[in-house]
DNA sequence: CTGTCTGCAAACCATTTGCAATCGT
DNA sequence: ACGATTGCAAATGGTTTGCAGACAG
């Protein structure tokens, strides 16, 4: 998980301009374990910085992913969610409410997985492990 | 991997009508390891059955997923791809050309993964393991 | 100052939807 | 015959784009 101050100085070092919009998105994502959508990030960012457009949120998210500060998750409903935790871990994805929960993996299993990285591909940049099902909260509600 | 004839009889047993469109989509997906998009499936299906609309392809795919004959994969570019191989296996996803390649996992690792299925969620219906990177073919081409 | 970054609003495009006509059973 | 299924064409909605103005360095 990045630290806001050091993330800012790293971005500055790479030549990026430090705009209030970028800082606000960084602050929203910092320590965020909710796997928010772009729209949710936009809503929260506007509370810190009223003049932020959704287009800018997408711009900043794309930049943060490119620079390795966040990872992007595709959900079954076709939307994307953003995760500042870039360590190898798994997700449980609720197919009803589309929320995502973190699932910790053991060191052993993580290393075991890397063993299967296909060698004929140049480089594996990311690994995604997802369990799909219905979360506890949705399971308790009637199945309409 | 389903067999076309037994898939048809299973669907018939469940009360589904056996339309030429459904048979054609089943035939396109049978033994298909290309992880095609809906549009690719539509194109190939039309070669077997000229009167198939893209809406019907989506209908049939949704039904086949619901009945457990195929699994749906989300790609980084936001489109969906369809896989008739419902056994637990991993994928290598090329972030440049968006093609998907199968990666076999050992029995041991598969079982190890199941160990991490979160117990406080009612039921895990599917597990997805994906490696992201650049495939050999794309890596050989110049990086524009 | 200068070129990057932003906000706006339109464009994009995979997927979904509504409905009348068709066709499997 | 009857209701499930289809094709059509429009709608949907998350994401992207083009561009003029704003602003960080």
């Amino acid at each position: 998980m990045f630290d806001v101050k050091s993330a800012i100085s790293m971005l500055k070092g790479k030549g990026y301009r430090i705009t209030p919009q970028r800082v606000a998105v960084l602050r929203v994502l910092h320590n965020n374990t909710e796997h928010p959508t772009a729209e949710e990030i936009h809503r929260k960012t506007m509370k810190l910085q009223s003049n932020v457009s959704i287009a800018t949120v997408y711009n900043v998210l794309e930049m943060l992913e490119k620079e390795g500060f966040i990872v992007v998750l595709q959900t079954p409903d076709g939307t994307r969610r953003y995760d500042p935790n870039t360590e190898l871990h798994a997700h449980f994805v609720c197919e009803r409410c589309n929320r995502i929960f973190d699932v910790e993996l053991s060191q052993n299993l993580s290393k075991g997985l890397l063993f299967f990285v296909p060698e004929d591909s140049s480089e594996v940049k990311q690994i995604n492990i997802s369990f799909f099902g219905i979360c506890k909260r949705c399971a308790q509600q009637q199945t309409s």
Side-chain angles (χ1 to χ4, degrees), chain A:
Chain A
M1 168 69 72
F2 63 81
D3 165 75
V4 177
K5 285 196 176 173
S6 43
I8 288 175
S9 58
M10 288 179 74
L11 291 174
K12 194 178 290 187
K14 290 212 171 198
Y16 289 102
R17 295 188 175 174
I18 307 308
T19 66
Q21 290 86 349
R22 283 175 174 172
V23 175
V25 171
L26 277 173
R27 285 175 57 199
V28 166
L29 252 18
H30 176 65
N31 277 346
N32 188 314
T33 58
E34 295 174 359
H35 311 85
T37 64
E39 189 271 335
E40 287 163 353
I41 294 168
H42 181 218
R43 188 146 22 87
K44 290 196 172 182
T45 302
M46 280 195 294
K47 290 182 181 171
L48 302 178
Q49 185 70 24
S50 56
N51 58 328
V52 189
S53 70
I54 186 70
T56 295
V57 169
Y58 277 110
N59 281 341
V60 176
L61 291 172
E62 183 182 14
M63 180 270 284
L64 292 178
E65 185 202 10
K66 183 182 166 194
E67 298 304 335
F69 290 101
I70 62 174
V71 294
V72 183
L73 308 171
Q74 286 283 348
T75 56
D77 71 347
T79 65
R80 288 178 190 149
R81 289 173 173 270
Y82 300 87
D83 193 345
N85 180 0
T86 58
E87 303 288 311
L88 178 56
H89 63 289
H91 293 116
F92 177 83
V93 182
C94 177
E95 293 176 320
R96 196 162 298 163
C97 67
N98 282 292
R99 287 187 304 164
I100 298 181
F101 306 91
D102 284 327
V103 176
E104 295 307 323
L105 299 176
S106 75
Q107 291 276 336
N108 280 342
L109 187 115
S110 298
K111 284 175 185 159
L113 259 183
L114 290 169
F115 180 73
F116 291 96
V117 171
E119 294 176 4
D120 62 344
S121 53
S122 56
E123 177 191 8
V124 168
K125 295 176 179 173
Q126 202 206 328
I127 300 178
N128 180 295
I129 302 173
S130 298
F131 303 98
F132 299 97
I134 308 293
C135 76
K136 204 162 45 168
R137 190 172 80 181
C138 286
Q140 285 172 348
Q141 296 169 3
Q142 78 273 15
T143 49
S144 63

